[in-house]
Amino acid sequence: MDEQKQNSGEKIVPRIIEDEMRQSYVDYAMSVIVGRALPDVRDGLKPVHRRILFASNELGLQSNKPFRKCARIVGDVLGKYHPHGDTAVYDSLVRMAQNFSLRYPLINGHGNFGSVDGDNAAAMRYTEAKMQKLAEELLEDIDKETVAFQDNFDGSMKEPTVLPSKAPNLLINGSSGIAVGMATNIPPHNLNETCDAAIAYIDNNDIDIDGLMQHIKAPDFPTGGIICGTAGIRLAYKTGRGKVIVRAKSLIDEEKHRIIITEIPYAVNKADLIVNIATLVKTDKIPGISDIRDESDRDGMRIVFELKKDANAEVILNLLYKHSRLQDSFGIGIVALVENRPRRLNLKELIHYFVEHRKVMVTKRTQYDLKKAQERAHILEGLLKALNDIDNTVSLIKESKSVDEARKKLMGALVISEIQANAILEMRLSRLTALEQDKIKLEHEELQVKIEHLKGILASKQKILDIIKAELNELKEKFGDKRLSRITEMELETFDMEDLIKQERMVLTITHSGYIKRQPLDVYKQQKRGGKGVIAAGTKEQDFVEDLFVAHTHSYILFFTDKGKIHWLKVYHVPEGSRQALGKSIANLLDLEEDEKITAFIPVAEFKEGQNLIMTTRKGTIKKTGLTQYSRPRKGGIIAITLEDDDELISVKRTDGSKQILIATMNGMAIKFNEKDVRPTGRSAKGVRGIHLKNDDQVIDMVIGQDEMSLLTITEFGYGKQTSIAEYRLIGRGGVGVKNIICSDRNGKVIAVKSLEANDELMFISRKGITIRTAASGISVIGRATQGMRLMRLSDGDRVVAAAKIINEEVTPENGNGETPVEGTLESDEPKEPPKEEPSTEPEEEQDSDEDQSA
């Protein structure tokens, strides 16, 4: 090869390959940046879009002309100006016609040009197109020597390097593109706002970004939506880089219990969005949706989410925003070509370069009009000279042997130029009439006025600026419209989903079978003492309300499981139901393991110092930990207490550090000690011994031992008694305790203990499903070491399996703050900042030793 080159006379230049690769890559990068990917700051167009509009203009496809096949337009663009694939050209043409892609479309498409669902346009042989009126404004005055032209790819034709662009297209339609080593993503804006900002800049070149933002408040997307906050937008307008968060426009139909979406964020594929949400519903990431329908038509967008009866519409909507592209971010990167060099620009610079471009265009247009007016005036002056001496002029022409001779005679006799002489020779005889002579004189006078006017414009910078302002106002009148994207001051960078949840007190009911629901407190009318009350909850057969309390919608409910784990649930996540509704199973609301069961719960409005959680396990371990250590929720729960393999958590109470604890066992033992005897330990510690168990005994329950209350003990064969808690002497933690009830053959083992007051009611449930409801006042209060009395008559082989206190169904807030004085609730705590979710790695904590194990 080298010999061939030498023989052919070509010179071989040695070059280091790294240098060659570096230079070639830079050349390629600049070719992509300038020739394909980035828009020009002046007209806001990339080369392919500019060529499409120019070719359409050359084809005569103005807005008032017939449509032409898109294949013809693409063919002209390819053959004359754009040496790339036909798909690239047609895709660009299609996007310029889509009203969901461009805020102000530049092409008027006829046929299938795709949809917001991501459907492709029909083939170019089936579709037709022509220019929109706004596109004509971009091309206006292109024939008046306003813009520079360059050779096309093969040098056979000329194409414009930029369009005159009367409209600020880069701002109103935006642009996006990925070049080599850089990218641009400029959002669209409202035409009225953009023109107002340009006028404000013309009036005051020293205006700052904040001043311009008085006019351009935010982008305006063709698909509408709600712009959340302006902090990211302000940053983008000042630095050229930022982010805007856009939400879908939604409506909650309270009557039909559904959510309706009428607008979605910009550049979101509606079909893909619906499929994604359907997947989220199937995987229970977004519970509570029973059906999804796309009811969009030619009149507008409409996506309907049918909700389940117990679903909270506001919670579902916020989950949709959180997990789907109904809330989307638009990353703003303002990069454009300035004198064929890529630059990152701010809002003021964008407007500055547009105004400077328009100054040049108006100046060159005026110069062109002035030149043409002077040329025409020059011709009319020659005609007027000929008309003033028409007889002599006609004689000179008649006597001449040729046109050249006539031209020379006229130039000498009338003292005119060659151009004027040619005009006289080409003048029709009809122009010699008196009327036509008057028209020529009038035209000449008008041209003199026009020439003076044009010279005045060129002599005054202010007049040029006034023309630009007048043209911008004219654009507003022709194409201006209202904003499509609404702006809210809600900054989502620090926004939490629950900020949209109304803060109110709710009545929560939990049944013995583990069903939970909530209702507004105002459902329960305040009644005088002795009122009948209202039904708090409907229940299944053999089920009943076991716990009822009032909590704030933003409060937490802490659920503890038999495996020693804790799970969180916000009150507003609990389904809201009518008084007759059953509610929803707690197990379906939490991320529990397959064999994990809820054994206790604590409602918490605020995790504050001074509050403790006391936990007791089946094997007699007790543990005290500050409430604040459980303030960091995590999906799937965290360890509340470390258990031995064959142990389980059975009871959790909240205390303030000064309570008395009473633990009762299956074999009829009980121990009462001060809470202060249990020192605080870490969250995942094992705890210490609370009671010393003998003979395979196990703990049944733990109660807060207030001396003015009584302790109910019930055994498996239906016997039981009440004993004043004051009768249980106070001893140290970890002892064997004292006799609570005699577990004889008649009584059997203890199955439950409850702390009671005189007006409490109880429910006993047997293995065969028999239930009995009785008042605590009907059970005798007797001594500790006794057998008690019959509480429930059982058939042969039947056993009592559960006992529970029944919560009064009348909710009467009497403590001045709307909180029912139920054990375990906070009375007047208002929720503060919600706790942050804990990291996924379980923290290692030092486990407390089982100290003081002896009785």
Side-chain angles (χ1 to χ4, degrees):
M1 178 66 74
D2 292 344
E3 292 180 359
Q4 291 177 359
K5 288 186 176 181
Q6 289 177 356
N7 294 335
S8 64
E10 293 184 19
K11 185 178 180 182
I12 299 175
V13 179
R15 184 172 174 84
I16 298 173
I17 191 169
E18 288 86 353
D19 294 340
E20 178 64 28
M21 292 295 292
R22 184 180 299 110
Q23 184 61 47
S24 298
Y25 186 80
V26 169
D27 292 344
Y28 164 72
M30 288 306 298
S31 173
V32 173
I33 290 169
V34 175
R36 294 175 69 179
L38 298 185
D40 193 294
V41 71
R42 296 169 292 179
D43 62 5
L45 297 172
K46 299 177 187 178
V48 63
H49 302 125
R50 188 179 300 116
R51 288 162 177 167
I52 288 170
L53 293 179
F54 181 66
S56 298
N57 190 57
E58 293 293 295
L59 282 169
L61 298 181
Q62 283 74 29
S63 60
N64 59 347
K65 300 294 179 63
F67 287 93
R68 193 78 66 89
K69 285 286 187 182
C70 289
R72 171 64 191 277
I73 301 173
V74 172
D76 267 31
V77 174
L78 283 178
K80 295 180 179 179
Y81 312 114
H82 200 69
H84 299 283
D86 60 341
T87 302
V89 177
Y90 185 53
D91 287 349
S92 298
L93 174 67
V94 166
R95 188 176 186 277
M96 294 170 73
Q98 292 174 337
N99 59 5
F100 52 87
S101 295
L102 265 64
R103 181 64 176 83
Y104 300 93
L106 301 176
I107 295 293
N108 185 0
H110 188 204
N112 175 16
F113 276 78
S115 72
V116 74
D117 287 324
D119 301 319
N120 293 325
M124 67 180 79
R125 62 183 178 272
Y126 298 122
T127 57
E128 298 177 335
K130 60 181 178 179
M131 291 190 295
Q132 294 275 15
K133 288 184 177 180
L134 181 61
E136 296 175 10
E137 301 289 345
L138 302 184
L139 288 156
E140 188 175 318
D141 301 328
I142 195 171
D143 55 348
K144 292 187 176 182
E145 300 176 359
T146 51
V147 298
F149 279 73
Q150 63 184 9
D151 289 336
N152 67 342
F153 60 89
D154 61 0
S156 62
M157 304 185 75
K158 295 288 186 179
E159 64 173 319
T161 58
V162 69
L163 297 187
S165 188
K166 185 185 291 186
N169 183 61
L170 185 58
L171 272 170
I172 63 174
N173 273 327
S175 184
S176 63
I178 301 174
V180 179
M182 63 186 67
T184 187
N185 204 26
I186 305 171
H189 294 80
N190 183 268
L191 177 64
N192 285 341
E193 295 179 1
T194 305
C195 291
D196 288 340
I199 292 171
Y201 172 79
I202 292 171
D203 291 336
N204 177 18
N205 292 164
D206 296 327
I207 191 172
D208 57 10
I209 301 295
D210 291 332
L212 291 173
M213 286 189 67
Q214 296 296 318
H215 304 283
I216 301 179
K217 297 177 174 60
D220 189 22
F221 298 105
T223 54
I226 301 172
I227 295 174
C228 302
T230 56
I233 299 169
R234 182 173 286 103
L235 179 66
Y237 287 166
K238 289 184 177 181
T239 66
R241 179 180 296 171
K243 181 173 69 173
V244 54
I245 297 177
V246 187
R247 279 187 162 185
K249 186 177 180 181
S250 61
L251 169 67
I252 296 178
D253 188 342
E254 299 280 359
E255 183 178 348
K256 296 184 178 180
H257 200 48
R258 60 185 181 179
I259 297 172
I260 301 172
I261 303 297
T262 56
E263 296 173 4
I264 61 175
Y266 180 58
V268 171
N269 185 306
K270 176 163 65 68
D272 291 347
L273 172 70
I274 294 174
V275 171
N276 175 251
I277 293 175
T279 302
L280 293 172
V281 172
K282 288 181 180 178
T283 57
D284 283 337
K285 267 199 169 182
I286 305 180
I289 296 178
S290 61
D291 188 28
I292 304 174
R293 295 195 308 276
D294 185 3
E295 298 180 355
S296 305
D297 55 21
R298 293 183 178 181
D299 296 329
M301 186 176 296
R302 182 181 171 90
I303 307 172
V304 179
F305 298 97
E306 296 287 351
L307 305 182
K308 296 178 181 178
K309 290 183 179 180
D310 56 356
N312 185 314
E314 291 181 336
V315 172
I316 300 299
L317 180 58
N318 288 316
L319 286 173
L320 287 168
Y321 286 145
K322 181 178 181 181
H323 295 294
S324 76
R325 293 191 70 187
L326 285 179
Q327 176 178 307
D328 201 25
S329 60
F330 184 94
I332 301 175
I334 305 176
V335 179
L337 295 177
V338 179
E339 296 179 356
N340 273 345
R341 293 188 177 185
R343 275 191 56 189
R344 186 173 299 280
L345 305 169
N346 60 33
L347 178 62
K348 183 175 180 179
E349 288 172 327
L350 282 179
I351 295 175
H352 164 76
Y353 285 115
F354 168 73
V355 172
E356 290 300 311
H357 175 60
R358 288 305 300 163
K359 285 183 183 178
V360 174
M361 294 299 100
V362 172
T363 300
K364 288 188 174 182
R365 180 185 68 193
T366 306
Q367 291 171 343
Y368 178 85
D369 290 341
L370 176 61
K371 182 181 72 172
K372 291 298 181 182
Q374 289 174 332
E375 290 175 355
R376 179 61 178 168
H378 181 65
I379 291 173
L380 292 178
E381 287 171 359
L383 294 178
L384 289 174
K385 284 186 178 180
L387 292 173
N388 290 335
D389 193 6
I390 189 63
D391 294 335
N392 187 35
T393 302
V394 171
S395 298
L396 286 174
I397 296 173
K398 288 174 65 178
E399 294 171 358
S400 299
K401 296 180 179 180
S402 64
V403 174
D404 288 338
E405 182 181 347
R407 182 184 303 111
K408 291 178 181 179
K409 288 183 177 179
L410 289 174
M411 292 172 61
L414 300 177
V415 191
I416 57 177
S417 67
E418 184 177 350
I419 295 174
Q420 291 173 321
N422 288 333
I424 294 172
L425 292 172
E426 294 172 358
M427 184 176 61
R428 294 181 179 181
L429 292 176
S430 61
R431 302 293 299 275
L432 300 179
T433 64
L435 184 59
E436 288 297 320
Q437 292 184 34
D438 291 340
K439 286 183 179 180
I440 293 173
K441 292 178 182 179
L442 180 61
E443 183 183 357
H444 182 262
E445 292 173 359
E446 291 175 347
L447 279 174
Q448 294 302 318
V449 174
K450 182 178 180 180
I451 289 170
E452 291 302 317
H453 173 69
L454 294 174
K455 286 181 178 179
I457 291 173
L458 293 174
S460 172
K461 293 181 179 180
Q462 185 59 46
K463 288 184 178 180
I464 292 176
L465 294 176
D466 291 341
I467 291 172
I468 297 172
K469 287 165 61 177
E471 290 176 346
L472 290 171
N473 283 319
E474 183 182 350
L475 284 173
K476 288 174 59 180
E477 292 178 6
K478 286 184 179 179
F479 308 105
D481 56 3
K482 295 181 180 179
R483 282 193 66 89
L484 298 179
S485 298
R486 188 160 59 90
I487 305 171
T488 67
E489 294 301 322
M490 178 175 56
E491 298 291 346
L492 292 186
E493 299 294 344
T494 57
F495 174 78
D496 194 84
M497 183 185 72
E498 69 180 35
D499 290 345
L500 291 183
I501 303 298
K502 182 180 179 181
Q503 299 192 18
E504 59 181 334
R505 290 185 175 90
M506 307 296 291
V507 177
L508 283 92
T509 58
I510 300 179
T511 72
H512 182 74
S513 298
Y515 285 83
I516 186 171
K517 71 168 185 176
R518 66 183 174 97
Q519 298 169 265
L521 183 59
D522 55 15
V523 170
Y524 300 87
K525 299 177 181 178
Q526 187 165 350
Q527 300 180 357
K528 296 181 180 179
R529 181 177 56 84
K532 184 178 180 181
V534 295
I535 296 174
T539 57
K540 298 189 300 180
E541 186 178 356
Q542 300 174 352
D543 196 10
F544 54 89
V545 176
E546 187 172 356
D547 290 283
L548 181 148
F549 57 91
V550 175
H552 199 278
T553 47
H554 289 197
S555 296
Y556 277 93
I557 308 175
L558 310 184
F559 291 94
F560 298 84
T561 72
D562 55 349
K563 292 189 175 183
K565 294 180 72 174
I566 177 176
H567 296 261
W568 288 261
L569 187 67
K570 281 284 192 179
V571 169
Y572 61 77
H573 281 302
V574 176
E576 186 174 344
S578 64
R579 294 204 307 269
Q580 291 76 26
L582 176 64
K584 192 166 187 176
S585 175
I586 295 173
N588 292 334
L589 298 175
L590 303 175
D591 189 10
L592 301 178
E593 296 179 14
E594 187 174 346
D595 56 346
E596 197 173 9
K597 297 179 181 179
I598 300 296
T599 56
F601 70 90
I602 301 290
V604 176
E606 181 187 0
F607 294 86
K608 62 182 181 180
E609 299 290 342
Q611 296 282 327
N612 301 315
L613 291 182
I614 301 286
M615 305 178 196
T616 304
T617 72
R618 186 74 69 190
K619 296 182 69 174
T621 298
I622 190 168
K623 174 190 165 188
K624 179 170 73 173
T625 304
L627 180 63
T628 56
Q629 295 200 35
Y630 299 93
S631 63
R632 301 176 68 190
R634 187 186 343 135
K635 184 179 180 181
I638 62 172
I639 293 175
I641 181 174
T642 300
L643 300 172
E644 297 179 9
D645 291 340
D646 56 346
D647 201 2
E648 62 181 14
L649 179 64
I650 62 169
S651 182
V652 181
K653 306 293 181 185
R654 186 169 59 183
T655 66
D656 58 8
S658 61
K659 303 296 184 183
Q660 293 179 350
I661 307 299
L662 194 148
I663 298 175
T665 74
M666 180 180 67
N667 289 340
M669 301 300 292
I671 184 172
K672 185 173 79 171
F673 54 88
N674 277 320
E675 178 190 343
K676 295 179 181 179
D677 293 344
V678 185
R679 72 179 182 86
T681 58
R683 175 175 59 77
S684 60
K686 286 183 177 180
V688 296
R689 178 174 293 173
I691 185 171
H692 185 74
L693 301 175
K694 293 182 178 181
N695 302 325
D696 295 327
D697 200 2
Q698 61 184 21
V699 173
I700 292 299
D701 205 350
M702 169 184 67
V703 299
I704 301 298
Q706 300 180 40
D707 288 347
E708 65 272 14
M709 301 180 71
S710 62
L711 182 72
L712 169 74
T713 305
I714 183 169
T715 64
E716 58 180 328
F717 294 143
Y719 292 86
K721 66 179 180 67
Q722 283 194 81
T723 303
S724 173
I725 291 179
E727 289 195 24
Y728 297 83
R729 65 187 179 88
L730 202 61
I731 61 176
R733 171 190 61 81
V736 176
V738 298
K739 183 64 69 175
N740 175 36
I741 192 171
I742 297 175
C743 292
S744 61
D745 292 339
R746 186 198 76 164
N747 284 355
K749 301 295 185 182
V750 177
I751 60 97
V753 293
K754 298 293 176 184
S755 59
L756 296 179
E757 293 180 316
N759 60 347
D760 282 340
E761 285 189 288
L762 299 161
M763 183 76 77
F764 306 134
I765 307 169
S766 76
R767 183 184 300 166
K768 294 183 178 180
I770 305 301
T771 60
I772 183 172
R773 181 171 182 168
T774 184
S777 58
I779 303 173
S780 300
V781 179
I782 56 180
R784 279 190 303 101
T786 57
Q787 291 196 89
M789 58 185 289
R790 185 186 296 275
L791 302 180
M792 184 176 185
R793 190 174 299 275
L794 302 171
S795 60
D796 291 341
D798 203 2
R799 297 287 188 274
V800 177
V801 293
K805 267 194 304 188
I806 299 176
I807 300 299
N808 186 358
E809 293 175 344
E810 178 184 347
V811 178
T812 308
E814 295 178 345
N815 61 352
N817 56 24
E819 302 283 356
T820 52
V822 178
E823 181 181 86
T825 62
L826 289 179
E827 294 188 352
S828 60
D829 297 330
E830 290 295 330
K832 302 296 189 291
E833 182 178 351
K836 297 180 180 177
E837 184 168 330
E838 191 169 79
S840 59
T841 302
E842 182 66 43
E844 294 291 336
E845 293 196 29
E846 183 180 350
Q847 296 184 344
D848 193 53
S849 61
D850 190 6
E851 63 173 6
D852 202 11
Q853 294 287 336
S854 63

